[in-house]
Amino acid sequence: MVGVIDEAQLFYPLGTRIKIANNYGTVKYVGEVNGHCGTWLGIEWDDGLRGKHNGMVDGKRYFQTRLPTAGSFIRPGKLGPFATLEDAARERYLNYDSKNVDTSLIREAQASMQASLFEVVGMDKIARKQSKFEQLSEVSVDETPVNAAGYLKDLSQLTTLNVSHTLIWNWEIVASITQQLPLLNSLNLSSNRLLLPTDKQVIELAPSFRHLKHINLGNCGFTDWQDVVQTARLWPDIESLSLQENSLSQLGEVDCTEIFRKLRELDLHRTKLMDFDQVCKLGNISTLCVLNLIENRIEQLQLPDCEPQSKLNMFVSLEQLSLIHNPIWNETEAFNELDKLPQLKRLNKTPHLKSNFDEMFSKAVASIAGLQFVNKAKVTPEQRRGAEYDIWKKYALEWLQATKLGADALREFYKKHRTYLGIVNKYGSPADFVPRIQVKPSNLIKVRIQNGQTGEVWEKKVPRMITVQTLQGLITKRFRLGEIPQLCYIDAKHPELVVRLENNAKTLDFYSVQEHDTVLFE
């Protein structure tokens, strides 16, 4: 029995990954089980509901699982064969298995056919396939039982490799793959479970990863940020790292002299982050340009304090931030905080439940001075002018009150509305709007409606809450137009400001149309 156990331990060392049907697991124990004959493998399943226990059976602890029903015992004979990356790639791309080639049969066929036809047609076809195989630049063997490298020198042109959902289980295996592929720069290891490398292994294996630029470790079972840090020592100059779908609610500061020295893109979506303070711990990664925080649980954005007209010395290269599907409850405050980032140009975010894209877009553009794109929509000069004009009027009374209270009050106002001083410098004092805000406005406003082509003017009192669509209908009927006109308005006090009325469902009040303003159509 000892010999059988030793053989099983040799073939299934602890940490080995296995798969039965669609269920993946990790070998945590090899040996006998009391009351049962033969050799057993103790498995911790990735699916915590797949097993029957936590590694303890009849009062004896054989191994430990993270979840109470993630463990079970299976016979080694239930497992299928493993494969090398070489075999899996040839099978997928050539549909060719050398074990199925009978060399004696080939020789008999050659002799009976006087060789020439068989050699030219059969061998030439294999040669052409082999040539295409050697020219492959991208290979994917996802969801195959790969747990070893094999001979990979034929894949000399390979730059991108997907080995997600395989049975690779340690960094020695990964190193044996990468060191044979000198042009490889992108490696997808997602949905694997890899043993944490030791300090000795880091030193020995790191040279095998020097040419890599992109690594995907999504859904690899990370729960401790320090494990990520230890693993990252294998490839300190990586440029893009995906850690999506790992439970990493707590992050930590990193020593950028040891890891993430050239990191430009970091994907942390679906990592169960709740506190933006955790994200701020990564602010010293000076090369980081793109940060993905999609589908986390972040409710509030709070960055360290800084002077209203200053930027933070953190995330100094960050240009793109994705916050889609986070329950951020105060958009105005969040955007004001993001203005502290020195290089932010692109923001991806879903609107608050009580908001919509147009309102969110306007708030973001007015509050983040350098913003150029919102959800891939480019910010035009007209849109920026309209957004800035809106908050210029909206906070006019608050600004005027702060100026009367003195320097401290005005400084606090500018901390809450970081872009406002620049807007005042751009458009002048908003004091003209204060009387309109203080006095309860009439429900009706008198506007000048002007035909941009003929110059004809129609002065009309309309409700403040009339929609753009209804006003379009009135204008179409009054001027007998053949099609629905596009509208914009010119502020009577500041005629240089022209605002397009782009959303037909919005009211004139939403666009801040006031008494004596001109609605222009063509």
Side-chain angles (χ1 to χ4, degrees):
M1 181 61 67
V2 173
V4 174
I5 294 175
D6 289 343
E7 183 179 339
Q9 290 174 337
L10 182 64
F11 202 69
Y12 300 104
L14 299 186
T16 299
R17 295 284 288 166
I18 60 96
K19 180 183 179 183
I20 295 179
N22 292 322
N23 297 292
Y24 289 83
T26 302
V27 175
K28 293 288 188 175
Y29 171 82
V30 181
E32 297 179 338
V33 176
N34 286 349
H36 302 273
C37 62
T39 301
W40 294 83
L41 303 180
I43 306 298
E44 180 177 10
W45 299 102
D46 295 359
D47 179 357
L49 302 177
R50 169 66 173 78
K52 299 179 180 179
H53 51 73
N54 65 357
M56 179 179 285
V57 177
D58 296 333
K60 181 176 179 179
R61 169 70 61 194
Y62 294 92
F63 59 98
Q64 180 68 58
T65 65
R66 293 180 182 178
L67 300 175
T69 58
S72 65
F73 287 102
I74 64 171
R75 295 286 193 184
K78 288 191 67 175
L79 300 177
F82 296 124
T84 65
L85 173 57
E86 176 195 8
D87 289 339
R90 290 185 182 279
E91 176 66 23
R92 180 160 291 187
Y93 290 90
L94 297 180
N95 194 26
Y96 170 76
D97 188 345
S98 60
K99 292 181 290 186
N100 295 331
V101 178
D102 190 327
T103 54
S104 63
L105 189 61
I106 290 177
R107 283 194 295 269
E108 289 179 14
Q110 288 174 326
S112 64
M113 300 177 65
Q114 296 182 349
S116 56
L117 181 62
F118 191 88
E119 288 173 345
V120 171
V121 176
M123 293 303 148
D124 186 54
K125 185 177 181 181
I126 292 176
R128 287 197 303 271
K129 280 190 173 184
Q130 181 68 27
S131 176
K132 290 180 181 179
F133 181 77
E134 292 172 353
Q135 294 172 16
L136 287 173
S137 61
E138 299 182 10
V139 164
S140 176
V141 292
D142 59 311
E143 299 187 354
T144 61
V146 168
N147 77 341
Y151 182 80
L152 303 174
K153 297 293 185 178
D154 288 341
L155 293 168
S156 58
Q157 303 302 308
L158 195 67
T159 61
T160 302
L161 176 61
N162 179 4
V163 285
S164 63
H165 282 283
T166 58
L167 302 181
I168 293 173
W169 60 280
N170 63 52
W171 286 96
E172 289 96 332
I173 298 172
V174 182
S176 67
I177 293 171
T178 58
Q179 65 191 8
Q180 297 187 68
L181 304 171
L183 299 184
L184 186 70
N185 62 60
S186 180
L187 178 61
N188 185 349
L189 288 164
S190 62
S191 299
N192 289 302
R193 297 291 184 272
L194 297 155
L195 293 181
L196 193 66
T198 64
D199 291 343
K200 181 182 177 183
Q201 289 172 329
V202 167
I203 295 171
E204 293 175 347
L205 301 179
S208 300
F209 303 109
R210 285 176 182 162
H211 50 297
L212 287 183
K213 293 182 179 180
H214 314 282
I215 291 183
N216 188 337
L217 292 176
N219 188 28
C220 281
F222 286 108
T223 58
D224 189 330
W225 179 251
Q226 290 308 311
D227 290 347
V228 174
V229 170
Q230 174 69 5
T231 304
R233 293 174 61 206
L234 289 166
W235 17 264
D237 294 321
I238 201 72
E239 296 181 14
S240 173
L241 175 61
S242 296
L243 293 169
Q244 73 277 9
E245 298 182 343
N246 288 289
S247 297
L248 293 168
S249 58
Q250 301 287 318
L251 305 179
E253 295 182 11
V254 298
D255 183 351
C256 291
T257 63
E258 289 193 0
I259 64 171
F260 300 161
R261 296 188 295 225
K262 298 180 180 179
L263 187 67
R264 293 177 54 82
E265 299 182 15
L266 180 60
D267 187 350
L268 292 172
H269 85 260
R270 292 186 187 172
T271 49
K272 300 185 178 179
L273 284 166
M274 300 178 66
D275 188 349
F276 199 76
D277 287 345
Q278 297 297 322
V279 179
C280 290
K281 293 178 181 179
L282 306 178
N284 69 317
I285 306 176
S286 62
T287 55
L288 189 64
C289 297
V290 179
L291 179 59
N292 184 354
L293 300 172
I294 292 174
E295 292 188 56
N296 280 293
R297 303 172 184 175
I298 299 169
E299 295 183 354
Q300 185 178 13
L301 296 189
Q302 184 99 33
L303 287 159
D305 199 13
C306 72
E307 289 301 310
Q309 301 309 308
S310 301
K311 301 290 187 179
L312 291 170
N313 186 28
M314 63 186 299
F315 292 118
V316 294
S317 298
L318 188 65
E319 296 184 359
Q320 179 172 320
L321 178 63
S322 296
L323 292 166
I324 292 171
H325 297 310
N326 278 279
I328 297 170
W329 56 271
N330 191 322
E331 288 182 340
T332 302
E333 288 185 6
F335 296 150
N336 189 65
E337 289 294 303
L338 291 176
D339 183 65
K340 297 176 182 178
L341 299 177
Q343 297 295 333
L344 188 62
K345 296 179 176 63
R346 295 172 177 263
L347 178 66
N348 299 317
K349 184 185 175 301
T350 39
H352 187 274
L353 291 175
K354 295 183 179 180
S355 179
N356 57 51
F357 177 77
D358 291 330
E359 292 178 11
M360 181 193 75
F361 182 93
S362 181
K363 288 179 190 176
V365 171
S367 302
I368 304 173
L371 203 60
Q372 297 178 4
F373 291 85
V374 180
N375 293 8
K376 299 184 179 181
K378 184 174 176 59
V379 179
T380 66
E382 294 79 11
Q383 289 170 326
R384 178 166 294 282
R385 185 167 58 244
E388 291 174 342
Y389 185 47
D390 284 345
I391 70 165
W392 184 46
K393 294 192 294 183
K394 181 176 182 180
Y395 298 117
L397 177 59
E398 189 179 342
W399 174 82
L400 187 61
Q401 291 171 337
T403 58
K404 292 178 179 179
L405 290 173
D408 289 343
L410 190 59
R411 179 174 174 272
E412 288 303 311
F413 171 84
Y414 285 138
K415 286 177 69 175
K416 287 174 57 181
H417 310 288
R418 290 177 50 85
T419 59
Y420 204 82
L421 178 58
I423 292 172
V424 170
N425 291 336
K426 190 174 184 179
Y427 302 119
S429 169
D432 291 340
F433 297 109
V434 174
R436 303 182 189 178
I437 299 171
Q438 290 176 319
V439 179
K440 184 177 180 181
S442 168
N443 289 329
L444 294 176
I445 54 173
K446 187 175 183 179
V447 296
R448 299 175 72 254
I449 300 171
Q450 181 175 343
N451 187 326
Q453 294 182 346
T454 66
E456 182 182 356
V457 174
W458 177 35
E459 293 192 351
K460 172 72 174 173
K461 282 193 173 184
V462 295
R464 290 180 181 273
M465 302 308 292
I466 190 174
T467 64
V468 174
Q469 185 176 25
T470 302
L471 182 59
Q472 287 174 320
L474 290 176
I475 293 172
T476 300
K477 185 176 180 181
R478 169 64 176 75
F479 289 90
R480 297 180 180 178
L481 304 177
E483 57 184 22
I484 302 298
Q486 298 299 311
L487 309 182
C488 62
Y489 84 90
I490 303 171
D491 190 282
K493 295 279 186 180
H494 302 276
E496 73 279 4
L497 290 174
V498 179
V499 179
R500 292 186 178 277
L501 307 182
E502 296 178 318
N503 191 330
N504 294 348
K506 295 298 181 182
T507 64
L508 296 189
D509 186 64
F510 171 81
Y511 284 106
S512 303
V513 178
Q514 303 290 339
E515 187 89 1
H516 304 304
D517 286 349
T518 298
V519 175
L520 190 67
F521 72 91
E522 294 184 357

